[in-house]
C-alpha cells in the first residue's frame, strides 16, 4: 500500500483540529469569513447572574446541539478581567463596567461592548423573627456605615445589628455601595462599617440570616427564599415603602433596582451574536421571570 507523505498527514491534522473552535476565535476578524461546524462559548462573571446564565445555556444547548456553553461565577470583576485577558467570550456583570476597566481593556486592544440582558431588584433581608418590616434608604445607609448599630434605633428590639455584605469583587457589593450607602451621590465617600461581614456568595448571606436574628443582608430578589423576611424600602423619609418585585422594579418605584449585563470584546458575530440575540428573545426572557428576575422585554425605560 502506498503511504501518505508526512507533510500531507500534517496538513490533514491541522485542518481537522480546527473544525471546532471557541466563539472568541469565531468573533475575530480573521475567522468571520468561515464559521466552524461546532462552537464553544465561555461565559464567566457575576454570581447574581450565574443561575440565570446556566438556565439559558442548558435550554440553548438543547435547541442547538452544535453549540457548547460553559458557565462559571466568581463575581462581576472576575468576569470583566477575564474578558480583558481574552479567556472568555461573555462576561456577566451585575454592575456597569467601570471607566478604568474600559481604559485597561482599550490599552489591550479590546473594546468592551455592553448588552443589557435582564433587570434585578436588590432585596434587603432579615430574620423572620425580626419585627422591623420597613426602612428608608438613609436608614439602610446609616446601618451599613455604622451610624446605626442597634435594631431599637429603627423600631426593633434592643439588639445589636450584624451587617452582612457580599465581597468587594461582587458587582452587587459595588452597586449597593454606590446606590444605597452613598445614596447615588457621586461625591459621597461613605464606606461600609469595618465590622461588616463580607461573604463570598448569596448562599452565605442566606445561611447567616437564617441562623442569626440580629443579621441584615441584601441579595438579588431571585435568590431570596420564602422563609426570610424582605423589607419594604422608601427612597426618602416620609415616602412610600415599596417591596421589591417584578412590577416595582419595572416601574422604578422600588429604589434598589438595576440592569444586569453581559459584555463582549467588540461587537458579537457568528454563534456568539446568535446566542445573545436568543437571550433577548421572548423565550429566554420567560426564563428570566421564572427565576425571579425582571425581563427586559417588558421594561419601558
Amino acid at each position: 500500500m502506498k503511504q501518505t507523505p508526512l507533510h500531507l498527514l500534517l496538513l490533514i491534522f491541522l485542518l481537522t483540529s480546527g473544525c471546532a473552535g471557541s466563539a472568541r476565535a469565531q468573533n475575530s476578524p480573521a475567522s468571520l469569513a468561515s464559521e466552524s461546524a461546532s462552537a464553544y462559548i465561555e461565559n464567566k462573571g457575576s454570581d447574581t447572574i450565574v443561575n440565570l446564565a446556566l438556565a439559558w445555556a442548558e435550554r440553548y444547548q438543547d435547541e442547538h446541539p452544535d453549540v457548547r456553553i460553559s458557565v462559571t461565577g466568581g463575581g462581576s470583576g472576575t468576569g470583566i478581567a477575564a474578558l480583558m485577558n481574552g479567556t472568555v467570550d461573555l462576561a456577566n456583570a451585575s454592575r456597569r463596567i467601570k471607566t478604568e476597566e474600559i481604559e485597561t481593556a482599550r490599552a489591550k486592544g479590546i473594546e468592551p461592548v455592553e448588552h443589557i440582558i435582564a433587570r434585578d431588584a436588590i432585596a434587603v433581608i432579615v430574620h423572620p423573627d425580626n419585627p422591623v418590616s420597613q426602612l428608608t434608604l438613609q436608614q439602610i445607609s446609616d446601618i451599613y456605615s455604622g451610624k446605626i448599630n442597634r435594631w431599637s434605633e429603627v423600631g426593633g428590639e434592643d439588639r445589636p445589628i450584624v451587617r452582612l455584605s457580599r465581597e468587594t469583587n461582587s458587582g452587587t457589593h459595588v452597586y449597593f455601595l454606590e446606590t444605597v450607602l452613598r445614596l447615588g451621590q457621586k461625591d459621597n465617600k461613605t464606606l461600609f462599617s469595618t465590622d461588616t461581614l463580607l461573604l463570598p456568595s448569596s448562599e452565605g448571606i442566606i445561611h447567616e440570616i437564617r441562623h442569626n436574628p440580629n443579621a441584615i443582608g441584601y441579595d438579588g430578589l431571585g435568590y431570596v427564599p420564602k422563609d426570610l423576611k424582605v423589607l419594604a424600602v422608601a427612597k426618602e423619609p416620609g415616602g412610600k415603602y415599596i417591596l421589591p418585585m417584578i412590577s416595582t422594579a419595572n416601574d422604578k418605584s422600588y429604589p434598589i433596582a438595576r440592569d444586569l449585563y453581559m459584555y463582549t470584546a467588540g461587537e458579537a458575530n457568528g454563534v456568539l451574536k446568535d446566542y445573545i440575540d436568543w437571550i433577548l428573545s421572548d423565550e429566554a426572557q420567560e426564563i428570566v421571570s421564572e427565576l425571579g428576575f425582571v425581563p427586559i422585554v417588558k421594561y419601558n425605560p
Side-chain angles (χ1 to χ4, degrees):
M1 181 187 302
K2 189 173 181 180
Q3 292 186 335
T4 305
L6 181 60
H7 70 280
L8 289 180
L9 286 173
L10 180 60
L11 177 61
I12 293 169
F13 171 77
L14 290 173
L15 289 172
T16 55
S17 65
C19 287
S22 73
R24 287 188 300 282
Q26 292 183 356
N27 205 36
S28 65
S31 60
L32 295 180
S34 176
E35 194 159 315
S36 299
S38 63
Y40 176 74
I41 296 173
E42 184 79 23
N43 183 201
K44 184 179 184 69
S46 168
D47 290 319
T48 296
I49 300 174
V50 69
N51 285 353
L52 177 58
L54 285 166
W56 277 336
E58 182 177 356
R59 175 75 65 83
Y60 194 78
Q61 288 174 134
D62 286 344
E63 298 176 1
H64 302 81
D66 57 328
V67 179
R68 310 311 301 165
I69 304 169
S70 171
V71 178
T72 54
S76 299
T78 299
I80 291 171
L83 186 77
M84 292 189 293
N85 292 333
T87 58
V88 298
D89 308 294
L90 279 174
N92 298 335
S94 58
R95 55 148 174 99
R96 179 161 276 166
I97 190 170
K98 300 175 183 177
T99 301
E100 55 266 33
E101 290 170 331
I102 295 175
E103 292 172 352
T104 300
R106 287 174 175 168
K108 295 182 177 182
I110 292 172
E111 184 65 35
V113 174
E114 180 179 287
H115 310 270
I116 298 175
I117 46 85
R119 283 178 60 80
D120 187 25
I122 304 300
V124 180
I125 48 180
V126 296
H127 191 277
D129 292 340
N130 191 325
V132 174
S133 59
Q134 58 190 35
L135 293 170
T136 66
L137 279 180
Q138 185 65 65
Q139 286 174 319
I140 301 169
S141 174
D142 289 346
I143 287 172
Y144 270 97
S145 63
K147 293 180 181 178
I148 293 176
N149 293 290
R150 302 193 72 81
W151 282 110
S152 56
E153 298 178 68
V154 290
E157 298 176 350
D158 190 19
R159 293 172 172 267
I161 297 174
V162 177
R163 308 169 182 89
L164 307 177
S165 172
R166 290 294 310 280
E167 290 181 325
T168 57
N169 192 48
S170 161
T172 304
H173 173 102
V174 174
Y175 175 82
F176 197 81
L177 171 65
E178 295 175 348
T179 304
V180 181
L181 269 77
R182 295 177 176 174
L183 303 171
Q185 302 164 356
K186 291 187 177 181
D187 58 346
N188 191 324
K189 302 301 181 184
T190 301
L191 296 172
F192 282 90
S193 173
T194 56
D195 63 357
T196 303
L197 301 179
L198 302 180
L199 299 172
S201 67
S202 297
E203 291 78 8
I205 288 178
I206 298 301
H207 176 80
E208 289 294 328
I209 292 177
R210 273 202 182 109
H211 295 87
N212 190 338
N214 298 329
I216 185 172
Y218 59 90
D219 211 346
L221 184 61
Y223 287 85
V224 179
K226 294 181 179 179
D227 63 318
L228 296 187
K229 187 174 184 178
V230 176
L231 302 185
V233 178
K235 188 173 183 179
E236 53 195 22
K240 185 177 180 180
Y241 290 91
I242 305 293
L243 284 167
M245 58 186 69
I246 289 177
S247 59
T248 59
N250 265 331
D251 65 17
K252 296 187 176 181
S253 60
Y254 182 69
I256 318 176
R258 59 180 174 172
D259 292 330
L260 299 176
Y261 308 92
M262 284 181 170
Y263 287 94
T264 55
E267 295 292 342
N269 293 287
V271 292
L272 191 56
K273 182 180 186 304
D274 292 341
Y275 184 48
I276 293 173
D277 287 346
W278 178 83
I279 285 173
L280 302 179
S281 72
D282 289 346
E283 178 186 0
Q285 291 295 307
E286 285 179 6
I287 299 174
V288 174
S289 294
E290 291 169 3
L291 294 185
F293 295 95
V294 181
I296 58 170
V297 290
K298 297 179 182 178
Y299 169 57
N300 297 312

